[in-house]
């Protein structure tokens, strides 16, 4: 079976069946971000149990699925100092069999990018804390039907109905029906569990139409094609645009923590009286101390250098070093920025700079 139909009203039963099959089920839920009259509700991915209210297919999640593969904070080992010796004790990690439901296409695509960083396929080292979780995780993706003004997935080669990174892909096709596609062996295993809810063959024509209609709603469209070549030109490393970016960016790191493909981390010893844990936790290349050397030298000592690195990571370094996509166009960095710094504005500016001769760029009369 490659496709099937399923009623949207049966999503709750999907959670029931998967839970009964001993899967940990993760799904978006609407949760208050702040308490009190000024509080707002946001969609966040959390573990759900049968009967829990979820928001699969509704809105866009503020947080992605990254934390379920790449933990925000976790111990690597325990230690205890004894005289001049340090005793190391391994710590156990759980890798539960997990299904993440309602994953938007941009987030599913980001799992491939993260795997390129943390697996030995490109960098020669396998971070098993990530790869074992990925191995145990299945993604049930859900096509976007209502992308918002910050979404720009089509500018980076994806779309609101993309199935990249998906194991089982769902698309609403109207009248309360969902077109379901089996994409991988993991997806086939899930479809077998959900078999009692599936009805005949899917409706590919309706699925394609739903995808096309969602794509028309994306208004933020940029030409990303010239960016890599412009960044490869080392003369642009000192372009005046970076200084303007640096003046606006606060360096708060919100964009990196909400980005589904950002993967910077640090390791420290959390010591309590001579014993403790060495822990790994999310870090941000936008923090001023991120590249601070022990000598006191900091190669990215100004914010514009740090943002230049982030932009380059998205459109050059990821592709060059990991052979993967650095930006999936989810728009979270735009929504989450406290000073409205919009990466797509600079994508457009780079495309513009790449399109005009260098001599004209320095001509003040040229517009």
């Amino acid at each position: 079976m490659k496709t099937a139909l399923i009623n949207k009203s049966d999503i709750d039963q999907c959670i029931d069946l998967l839970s009964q099959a001993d899967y940990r089920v993760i799904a978006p839920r609407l949760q208050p971000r702040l308490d009190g009259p000024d509080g707002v509700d946001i969609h966040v991915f959390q573990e759900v149990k049968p009967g829990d209210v979820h928001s699969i297919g509704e809105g866009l999640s503020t947080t992605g699925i990254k934390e379920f593969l790449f933990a925000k904070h976790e111990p690597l080992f325990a230690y205890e100092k004894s005289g001049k010796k340090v005793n190391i004790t391994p710590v156990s990690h759980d890798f539960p069999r997990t299904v993440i439901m309602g994953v938007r296409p941009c987030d599913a695509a980001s799992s491939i990018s993260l795997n390129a960083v943390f697996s030995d396929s490109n960098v020669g080292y396998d971070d098993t804390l990530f790869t074992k979780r990925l191995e145990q995780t299945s993604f049930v993706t859900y096509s976007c039907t209502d992308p918002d003004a910050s979404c720009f997935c089509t500018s980076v080669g994806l779309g609101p109905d993309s199935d990249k990174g998906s194991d089982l892909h769902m698309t609403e096709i109207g009248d309360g029906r969902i077109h379901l596609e089996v994409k991988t062996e993991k997806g086939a295993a899930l479809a077998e569990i959900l078999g009692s809810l599936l009805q005949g063959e899917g409706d590919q024509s309706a699925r394609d139409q739903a995808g096309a209609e969602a794509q028309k709603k994306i208004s933020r469209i940029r030409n990303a094609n010239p960016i890599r070549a412009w960044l490869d030109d080392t003369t642009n490393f000192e372009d005046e645009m970076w200084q303007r970016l640096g003046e606006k960016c606060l360096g708060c790191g919100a964009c990196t923590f909400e980005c589904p493909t950002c993967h910077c981390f640090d390791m420290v010893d959390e010591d309590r009286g001579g014993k403790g844990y060495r822990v790994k936790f999310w870090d941000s290349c936008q923090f001023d101390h991120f590249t601070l050397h022990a000598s006191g030298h900091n190669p990215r000592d100004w914010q514009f250098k740090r943002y230049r690195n982030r932009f380059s990571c998205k459109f050059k370094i990821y592709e060059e070093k990991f052979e993967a996509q650095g930006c999936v166009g989810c728009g979270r960095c735009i929504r989450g920025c406290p000073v409205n710094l919009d990466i797509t504005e600079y994508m457009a500016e780079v495309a513009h700079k790449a399109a005009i001769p260098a001599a004209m760029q320095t001509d003040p009369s040229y517009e």
Side-chain angles (χ1 to χ4, degrees):
M1 183 192 69
K2 296 294 183 181
T3 66
L5 294 177
I6 185 171
N7 292 324
K8 187 177 180 182
S9 58
D10 287 337
I11 293 289
D12 287 348
Q13 291 189 57
C14 291
I15 295 174
D16 294 350
L17 291 172
L18 292 169
S19 297
Q20 290 167 17
D22 291 330
Y23 278 95
R24 178 181 66 148
V25 181
I26 307 295
R29 304 187 71 188
L30 203 56
Q31 296 289 305
R33 181 173 228 173
L34 298 170
D35 294 329
D38 297 327
V40 294
D41 290 339
I42 59 173
H43 298 278
V44 296
F45 279 90
Q46 295 179 339
E47 183 172 358
V48 292
K49 302 291 186 183
D52 284 348
V53 176
H54 58 79
S55 59
I56 295 173
E58 301 172 18
L60 301 169
S61 66
T62 300
T63 59
I65 59 171
K66 180 168 68 174
E67 65 183 282
F68 298 102
L69 301 170
F70 168 33
K72 289 181 179 178
H73 175 281
E74 64 183 334
L76 301 176
F77 57 80
Y79 67 85
E80 183 169 4
K81 298 174 183 175
S82 177
K84 294 182 179 179
K85 295 182 179 179
V86 179
N87 298 315
I88 303 294
T89 305
V91 296
S92 62
H93 297 90
D94 294 329
F95 305 101
R97 195 169 61 152
T98 299
V99 178
I100 307 183
M101 296 190 66
V103 181
R104 293 304 188 185
C106 50
D107 281 333
S110 74
S111 69
I112 296 175
S113 300
L114 291 176
N115 188 48
V117 174
F118 290 119
S119 71
D120 63 2
S121 58
N122 287 290
V123 295
Y125 176 76
D126 198 19
D127 184 338
T128 56
L129 292 176
F130 175 89
T131 56
K132 285 186 177 179
R133 287 195 181 97
L134 182 63
E135 184 181 328
Q136 289 289 89
T137 301
S138 302
F139 301 107
V140 179
T141 49
Y142 206 99
S143 294
C144 289
T145 56
D146 196 21
D148 73 9
S150 297
C151 293
F152 61 100
C153 59
T154 57
S155 298
V156 292
L158 297 172
D161 62 335
S162 295
D163 56 19
K164 186 177 181 180
S166 173
D167 293 303
L168 206 59
H169 187 67
M170 294 181 168
T171 303
E172 290 185 19
I173 56 174
D175 298 326
R177 298 179 305 158
I178 289 174
H179 173 89
L180 181 144
E181 301 164 66
V182 177
K183 309 304 299 185
T184 65
E185 290 184 5
K186 284 183 180 177
L190 299 181
E192 187 173 344
I193 294 169
L194 304 179
S196 61
L197 305 175
L198 306 185
Q199 308 159 18
E201 295 293 317
D203 187 336
Q204 187 65 44
S205 176
R207 182 256 193 259
D208 293 342
Q209 183 179 349
E213 289 176 358
Q215 191 158 324
K216 289 178 185 175
K217 295 179 181 178
I218 294 182
S219 57
R220 191 180 294 269
I221 300 173
R222 302 289 185 264
N223 179 14
N225 294 327
I227 296 176
R228 170 67 188 274
W230 189 84
L231 292 171
D232 281 341
D233 184 346
T234 55
T235 62
N236 294 319
F237 195 67
E238 300 297 340
D239 190 273
E240 54 79 32
M241 181 186 78
W242 305 122
Q243 292 274 2
R244 281 189 280 111
L245 270 167
E247 291 173 358
K248 187 171 185 178
C249 180
L250 299 177
C252 67
C255 54
T256 57
F257 290 124
E258 294 189 0
C259 175
T261 65
C262 278
H263 52 270
C264 290
F265 64 89
D266 198 358
M267 291 181 285
V268 300
D269 291 344
E270 293 185 344
D271 191 278
R272 298 288 187 276
K275 62 182 180 179
Y277 294 92
R278 177 159 296 177
V279 300
K280 174 184 175 184
F281 59 92
W282 289 6
D283 203 349
S284 172
C285 64
Q286 297 306 289
F287 294 158
D288 59 0
H289 59 275
F290 183 76
T291 51
L292 179 63
H293 298 181
S295 65
H297 172 64
N298 191 342
R300 298 183 203 141
D301 52 352
W302 291 90
Q303 190 55 39
F304 82 88
K305 296 180 181 179
R306 297 189 277 274
Y307 197 88
R308 178 178 60 195
N309 176 75
R310 182 169 194 274
F311 190 92
S312 298
C313 185
K314 296 301 162 195
F315 299 105
K316 170 179 163 62
I317 297 172
Y318 233 115
E319 294 178 13
E320 191 173 76
K321 189 171 183 179
F322 305 118
E323 300 178 355
Q325 189 163 5
C327 176
V328 293
C330 67
R332 287 194 182 93
C333 60
I334 300 171
R335 297 184 203 101
C337 181
V339 293
N340 298 319
L341 200 158
D342 180 350
I343 194 171
T344 65
E345 287 185 13
Y346 299 98
M347 291 170 65
E349 183 167 341
V350 168
H352 178 69
K353 286 175 179 289
I356 60 176
M360 296 180 74
Q361 292 183 38
T362 57
D363 180 355
S365 64
Y366 178 79
E367 294 183 356

